[in-house]
Amino acid sequence: MFQSPDFKQLGKQIRCATTVDVKQALSTKRPDLNDLAALISPAAEPYLQQMAARSSEITLARFGKTTQLYAPVYLSNYCTNRCVYCGFSADNLIKRKCLTLEEAEKEAMILHGRGFQHILLVSGEAENAVNVEYMEAIALRLRDKFAAVSIEIQPMSTKHYHRLFLAGITAVAVYQETYDRDLYKKVHLSGKKRDYDYRLETPARVAEAGMREVGIGALLGLGDWRAEGLAIGHHLHWLRTKFWSTAFTVSFPRMRPATGEFEPLERVSERNLSQLIFALRLFDQDVGLIVSTREEARYRDGMLGLGPTRYSAGSCTAPGGYGDSDIDVDVDAEQFSVGDHRSLDEVSTMIREKGFDPVCKDWDCGFQIADN
Amino acid sequence: MLTIAGTEFKSRLFLGTGKFSSSSVMADAIAASECQMVTVALRRVNLDNPEDDIMKALSVREYIFLPNTSGARNANEAIRLAHLARAASGSSWLKLEVTPDPRTLLPDPVETLLATEKLVKDGFIVLPYMNADPILALKLQDAGAAAVMPLGSPIGTNQGVLTDSMIAIIIEQARVPVVVDAGIGAPSHAAYAMEMGADAVLVNTAISIAGDPVAMAAAFAKAVEAGRTAFVAGMGQRSKQASASSPADGKLSSDLGFLA
Amino acid sequence: MNITVNGSNKVFQDIFSVTDLLKTLQLPPETVVVELNTIIIQPDSYHSAKLVEGDQVEIIRFVGGG
């Protein structure tokens, strides 16, 4: 199983990097984990433009002039975990809602009507609200209507992931939130999620179950973002060698200070985020890099083609948020607040104006069959 | 240090023992190459004229014998030869070769994978000879191969590493050592494979048919070492454009003016 | 007694075991592998491996190869 390197040590390693290391990392054809450390380091900050140019070159070569688009469907905000940073935390006095199968399908079909072919089903972690039977039932309802249905729910067993794969789920995202073991215990106060190792081993279980794609990532704003980036690199590298027929993506959910919300423990600027994205692109030419609507329109427009490969669009992060008034939506029940409020059409137009092709479909989950 | 199946190798050059003019030239060339592992083949004893026994010239105590399954045209023949080889050498090392086409002697990917799966289960240390196919390399690793041996060009052709773009991918993805085998006709070819990051090379014809096989073996030893050292030192990237050796910072750039 | 050795039919007299056969052919036992009716005979069993009429024997050794 993957052993996450000591987090403090990663931070130290990064801060030891010099200009010479950065230049070496920029000139090497295949940057390794040491090069990644240099590219994430403070010493690389003056080279951000060179990194952007190199990252853009690789992204263009590997992904072409395309940007994939998807939208999340929030199924449920019930959660048995207490995580200090999350709007769905069990402690929070929000109106709880778990969509029925009919409501979930209706929400998905609203997005379908807006042109989405790839949706991400998201929920809080509460086994009695959202479990494998519920997810399987939704997947079977949606598999013939969408090209790809991904999920971001509580970690499951390999067996359950395999069941969902057979039902038509194509990808699973499960973020470690923080690779810092000590900090992890501090921000995850109670609930199943408190088990750092079980969560860390989840991407491997997903891949083992045969899913086409696995998403990993860390929440930026909890710990040392540079060390999180290097830890992600280690995790990605390990996963790649073990599961060579699985595609991988990395997300960079960045917390920003906002009234009434969790105050980030660390400030991560747009420059920092960009450096991390460029560094990971240089390190892994083929990894999908996702930038969600947490980020503002200006930033997402500017980053187009420089490294990210997939954007969400037109997102609402509360269960039932897309639907008509017959689903009772609590606007305070959002998981996080959105920075880019544009619709799919508006985002697609922007992408086209920049000379890129907005791609809503690059697979058909109906094709999916188990290997053995 | 190179480690295959728990055995450490100081030398990253392996030698084949075929086509030498005599056993003594072979033994001298092997000594000059400083290699630690040699490949051997298995054949019926010619009863009317029992040839020299290779074991007389080379001691199993001095060198690791890597018996091959040359001549096998399918998995079953290779498996049979493998068991004979193990009985003869007393060890489980095996270079798996399945070559159905006697003209090109190119390896059969399907039969090689089948034989690898079976032989790994039978406890062999399997080093499959394979075409430079990255997906096959991954599948052979999954099946338990101790190393993979992609070919540089067809055996005996001395054409060098023609499959370099595929070998580069194999090396990048490998979880086991990559030994470039076949087609290496000159020390520069061996150095090139090592510069790319190959873990070792296997050479036979280029040494055995050289004017002076002993001197050629020494040349290969140096080339392999030079290539490895260059790889470890980290080579600069190739580029189509000229680039000044002196820095001109800030020239290559993307517009990041949008950042807050 | 007729025995097929390495594909050719040969007639032997006073041969009872693999050890006898190797001695007759002047082959040092430690340099070869013997397969009797497609089953590999371990060297310590050469003496007890009895030969009978019509047996198929393969005698194999290492040669140079790449």
Side-chain angles (χ1 to χ4, degrees):
Chain A
M1 269 301 129
F2 174 63
Q3 302 290 326
S4 186
D6 180 72
F7 195 79
K8 303 269 176 307
Q9 208 53 48
L10 292 180
K12 272 187 205 156
Q13 184 198 349
I14 291 165
R15 280 160 186 88
C16 285
T18 63
T19 302
V20 177
D21 299 325
V22 176
K23 283 187 173 169
Q24 145 76 19
L26 275 170
S27 68
T28 185
K29 200 166 158 190
R30 291 277 171 191
D32 61 14
L33 285 161
N34 290 325
D35 295 317
L36 177 62
L39 293 169
I40 302 179
S41 74
E45 282 177 4
Y47 296 88
L48 195 62
Q49 297 217 317
Q50 281 94 321
M51 286 173 65
R54 184 93 191 88
S55 169
S56 147
E57 208 175 273
I58 296 167
T59 308
L60 201 66
R62 306 303 294 172
F63 294 86
K65 292 204 144 199
T66 64
T67 297
Q68 301 160 13
L69 289 169
Y70 75 98
V73 175
Y74 277 70
L75 299 172
S76 162
N77 58 8
Y78 281 99
C79 196
T80 51
N81 296 316
R82 287 161 61 234
C83 312
V84 298
Y85 51 81
C86 180
F88 291 174
S89 184
D91 284 345
N92 286 3
L93 295 170
I94 52 167
K95 199 173 282 173
R96 301 287 170 170
K97 169 79 189 166
C98 176
L99 303 184
T100 64
L101 296 180
E102 287 69 31
E103 287 169 341
E105 186 177 345
K106 201 169 165 189
E107 283 279 286
M109 290 316 288
I110 291 170
L111 292 172
H112 192 273
R114 294 179 190 170
F116 283 103
Q117 282 285 322
H118 176 189
I119 51 169
L120 170 68
L121 305 175
V122 189
S123 81
E125 303 193 356
E127 192 65 31
N128 53 1
V130 168
N131 51 31
V132 70
E133 285 80 19
Y134 174 89
M135 293 308 298
E136 190 176 44
I138 293 182
L140 290 172
R141 279 170 181 245
L142 299 180
R143 70 173 300 165
D144 295 325
K145 300 177 172 109
F146 287 89
V149 182
S150 318
I151 59 171
E152 186 183 339
I153 61 170
Q154 71 270 23
M156 288 184 160
S157 64
T158 311
K159 222 169 96 186
H160 284 178
Y161 282 131
H162 188 62
R163 229 169 113 178
L164 294 183
F165 172 75
L166 293 179
I169 299 296
T170 43
V172 176
V174 55
Y175 307 137
Q176 189 62 25
E177 317 297 10
T178 175
Y179 284 85
D180 182 343
R181 219 172 250 282
D182 300 333
L183 180 63
Y184 190 92
K185 284 267 181 244
K186 282 183 199 144
V187 296
H188 299 106
L189 303 174
S190 69
K192 269 192 172 173
K193 196 169 174 178
R194 228 174 122 71
D195 188 341
Y196 176 96
D197 289 308
Y198 185 68
R199 196 166 186 89
L200 190 68
E201 290 162 6
T202 304
R205 287 199 304 278
V206 175
E208 217 172 274
M211 287 286 174
R212 294 177 63 81
E213 184 187 287
V214 182
I216 60 171
L219 201 46
L220 303 181
L222 288 179
D224 172 0
W225 67 268
R226 296 181 201 272
E228 300 286 9
L230 187 51
I232 289 171
H234 276 274
H235 202 176
L236 181 61
H237 178 72
W238 183 86
L239 286 165
R240 276 234 188 274
T241 26
K242 208 160 156 57
F243 302 102
W244 56 268
S245 61
T246 309
F248 294 96
T249 60
V250 176
S251 286
F252 311 89
R254 183 172 70 110
M255 291 188 291
R256 275 169 304 152
T259 44
E261 285 183 32
F262 174 73
E263 184 68 23
L265 305 173
E266 282 235 353
R267 291 293 294 270
V268 182
S269 69
E270 285 184 359
R271 286 190 86 79
N272 297 154
L273 174 59
S274 309
Q275 186 182 353
L276 190 51
I277 289 174
F278 301 151
L280 271 167
R281 171 57 67 229
L282 267 60
F283 172 68
D284 188 318
Q285 306 202 332
D286 302 300
V287 71
L289 299 178
I290 302 174
V291 177
S292 79
T293 54
R294 275 177 191 262
E295 299 301 332
E296 284 166 28
R298 169 190 42 77
Y299 180 76
R300 301 208 313 156
D301 292 5
M303 285 297 280
L304 196 85
L306 296 187
T309 54
R310 190 181 296 169
Y311 282 1
S312 53
S315 306
C316 176
T317 69
Y322 299 114
D324 317 325
S325 49
D326 60 336
I327 303 178
D328 187 14
V329 183
D330 179 357
V331 284
D332 294 327
E334 288 207 327
Q335 192 191 26
F336 61 87
S337 60
V338 167
D340 182 347
H341 295 274
R342 292 175 298 177
S343 69
L344 174 67
D345 274 349
E346 289 169 307
V347 174
S348 299
T349 304
M350 173 279 288
I351 291 171
R352 278 196 200 93
E353 275 169 3
K354 287 187 169 268
F356 279 64
D357 182 23
V359 174
C360 289
K361 170 186 170 112
D362 72 345
W363 170 242
D364 264 304
C365 50
F367 292 159
Q368 193 154 299
I369 36 173
D371 189 17
N372 38 39
Chain B
M1 184 124 48
L2 170 62
T3 306
I4 304 177
T7 301
E8 291 191 341
F9 292 87
K10 260 168 78 181
S11 164
R12 291 173 179 271
L13 174 61
F14 304 150
L15 249 59
T17 55
K19 304 187 201 170
F20 279 93
S21 56
S22 74
S23 287
S24 69
V25 171
M26 175 191 74
D28 289 348
I30 289 170
S33 77
E34 293 176 7
C35 79
Q36 290 153 274
M37 183 148 78
V38 295
T39 61
V40 289
L42 270 180
R43 289 292 176 268
R44 279 174 170 173
V45 176
N46 181 346
L47 298 175
D48 305 322
N49 177 22
E51 309 147 60
D52 262 6
D53 176 20
I54 197 170
M55 309 284 263
K56 270 189 204 154
L58 291 176
S59 157
V60 236
R61 277 183 293 279
E62 259 182 279
Y63 299 98
I64 295 174
F65 274 40
L66 180 64
N68 65 30
T69 59
S70 66
R73 288 163 299 140
N74 58 45
N76 285 335
E77 287 184 359
I79 290 163
R80 182 182 178 205
L81 283 170
H83 284 276
L84 287 168
R86 181 154 70 183
S89 71
S91 92
S92 301
W93 288 91
L94 185 79
K95 180 185 168 194
L96 177 64
E97 294 180 24
V98 187
T99 54
D101 176 356
R103 204 171 41 91
T104 61
L105 294 175
L106 287 168
D108 180 329
V110 178
E111 296 293 311
T112 301
L113 182 57
L114 287 173
T116 300
E117 283 165 353
K118 178 75 168 69
L119 290 168
V120 167
K121 283 194 190 104
D122 291 347
F124 283 90
I125 301 167
V126 184
L127 288 73
Y129 169 56
M130 56 173 289
N131 213 316
D133 177 339
I135 299 297
L136 180 61
L138 288 166
K139 292 200 164 189
L140 288 167
Q141 291 176 58
D142 288 351
V148 288
M149 306 184 79
L151 57 84
S153 49
I155 186 103
T157 61
N158 288 337
Q159 292 185 89
V161 190
L162 298 182
T163 56
D164 51 358
S165 53
M166 293 300 135
I167 285 184
I169 298 172
I170 292 173
I171 290 169
E172 197 192 318
Q173 298 176 331
R175 308 189 297 273
V176 297
V178 177
V179 184
V180 176
D181 181 10
I184 293 184
S188 58
H189 299 158
Y192 178 53
M194 297 307 293
E195 286 166 6
M196 287 173 60
D199 295 281
V201 294
L202 173 65
V203 183
N204 189 347
T205 311
I207 293 173
S208 61
I209 65 170
D212 180 347
V214 179
M216 188 57 87
F220 267 99
K222 286 177 186 159
V224 166
E225 214 180 305
R228 177 67 190 176
T229 307
F231 170 72
V232 173
M235 307 220 302
Q237 244 188 107
R238 278 178 198 219
S239 165
K240 280 182 187 141
Q241 283 167 340
S243 121
S245 310
S246 316
D249 286 343
K251 264 192 179 167
L252 188 69
S253 66
S254 272
D255 184 12
L256 296 179
F258 62 86
L259 290 176
Chain C
M1 178 164 60
N2 282 295
I3 297 174
T4 306
V5 183
N6 288 356
S8 47
N9 195 15
K10 292 193 181 291
V11 182
F12 294 95
Q13 252 123 50
D14 299 330
I15 287 210
F16 305 101
S17 69
V18 170
T19 305
D20 300 337
L21 176 67
L22 294 178
K23 202 175 280 174
T24 306
L25 295 170
Q26 295 182 305
L27 290 169
E30 66 279 5
T31 69
V32 297
V33 187
V34 178
E35 208 187 55
L36 173 56
N37 301 322
T38 75
I39 291 162
I40 296 169
I41 308 299
Q42 296 305 321
D44 54 5
S45 307
Y46 285 169
H47 198 70
S48 55
K50 300 297 175 208
L51 297 174
V52 296
E53 176 78 21
D55 272 345
Q56 306 266 344
V57 179
E58 292 283 344
I59 305 173
I60 290 144
R61 68 160 46 139
F62 283 135
V63 299

